[in-house]
Amino acid sequence: FTIRPHTVGYKDQALNRLFEDLRGQLRALPGVREVSLSIRPLPMGGGTMAPVAIAGAPTPTSADAVLVSVGPAFFKTLQIPLVAGREFTERDHATSTRVALVNRRLAELLSVESPIGREITFDKDRFQIIGVVENALSFSLKEDRRPAVYFHYLQNARPSGQMTYAIRTAGDPLDLAGPVREMVRQADSRI
């Protein structure tokens, strides 16, 4: 589900506080196994395409990649396999070292056997690569897997005005629809 708190006046760090508070509350619901969030949902939400470069990569030195901002446990929640390294955790936040994960397709395209620990550059910003994940769909169900870089949403220069939550449940996910709606309403009935 997606919320758009910017439409009712949330801005700056109030957005991220709301997103994190709600994520914590959702994790506490009975029957919830994992919760994560992303600025755009996969596979149909896609992301922004932009050139990125990995330090020390042989030719080609850069490639166009899908850029996706996500939260902790994103890959575990969506069951996107972690190939190497680690995914985002609670220790990755706005003031920690800026980190990113890349998908296998980008690492292969840039001929980087082990990108973990290297820096990736996007628009003059540098991020340390902490993990490699399996390729996932971005824009449609019929596309080829595109090169992708995943950033921690809390490390974005500006907070997003919307967020999409993904919840993995132990049972029927529709059983949680009512409690989730109520939780969002209690957080702010205008959303």
Side-chain angles (χ1 to χ4, degrees):
F1 69 94
T2 300
I3 60 171
R4 294 178 177 85
H6 74 284
T7 62
V8 295
Y10 282 80
K11 55 186 163 180
D12 302 324
Q13 291 309 310
L15 287 160
N16 285 343
R17 278 193 301 278
L18 174 67
F19 297 147
E20 282 298 290
D21 289 348
L22 192 53
R23 185 173 68 89
Q25 292 171 25
L26 291 167
R27 287 172 56 196
L29 280 173
V32 170
R33 296 169 105 184
E34 295 293 338
V35 175
S36 193
L37 52 157
S38 59
I39 292 177
R40 291 189 178 99
L42 293 181
M44 304 308 281
T48 303
M49 291 288 293
V52 296
I54 296 178
T59 304
T61 58
S62 69
D64 285 341
V66 178
L67 309 179
V68 185
S69 292
V70 303
F74 179 78
F75 305 100
K76 187 175 184 181
T77 303
L78 271 67
Q79 294 186 336
I80 299 170
L82 185 65
V83 175
R86 68 174 180 88
E87 82 165 280
F88 299 121
T89 65
E90 305 302 327
R91 71 178 179 228
D92 303 311
H93 48 77
T95 59
S96 65
T97 301
R98 297 177 86 186
V99 292
L101 285 92
V102 299
N103 71 348
R104 184 190 300 266
R105 174 85 173 106
L106 181 62
E108 290 170 351
L109 188 64
L110 294 178
S111 302
V112 177
E113 195 169 309
S114 180
I116 296 172
R118 295 180 188 236
E119 283 191 341
I120 191 164
T121 306
F122 159 68
D123 195 28
K124 299 180 186 172
D125 290 326
R126 296 176 179 272
F127 299 82
Q128 182 181 24
I129 298 171
I130 59 169
V132 178
V133 294
E134 196 51 75
N135 303 325
L137 293 169
S138 302
F139 293 100
S140 77
L141 297 175
K142 295 182 179 181
E143 72 174 353
D144 288 334
R145 301 326 198 248
R146 298 179 188 213
V149 180
Y150 299 89
F151 301 101
H152 196 300
Y153 86 96
L154 288 175
Q155 295 182 337
N156 289 348
R158 285 189 2 237
S160 174
Q162 73 173 34
M163 195 62 66
T164 297
Y165 288 82
I167 303 172
R168 180 157 300 282
T169 66
D172 184 352
L174 293 179
D175 290 346
L176 288 177
V180 166
R181 279 190 201 99
E182 180 59 22
M183 191 167 283
V184 173
R185 191 194 65 73
Q186 286 180 11
D188 190 323
S189 61
R190 302 171 300 161
I191 298 173

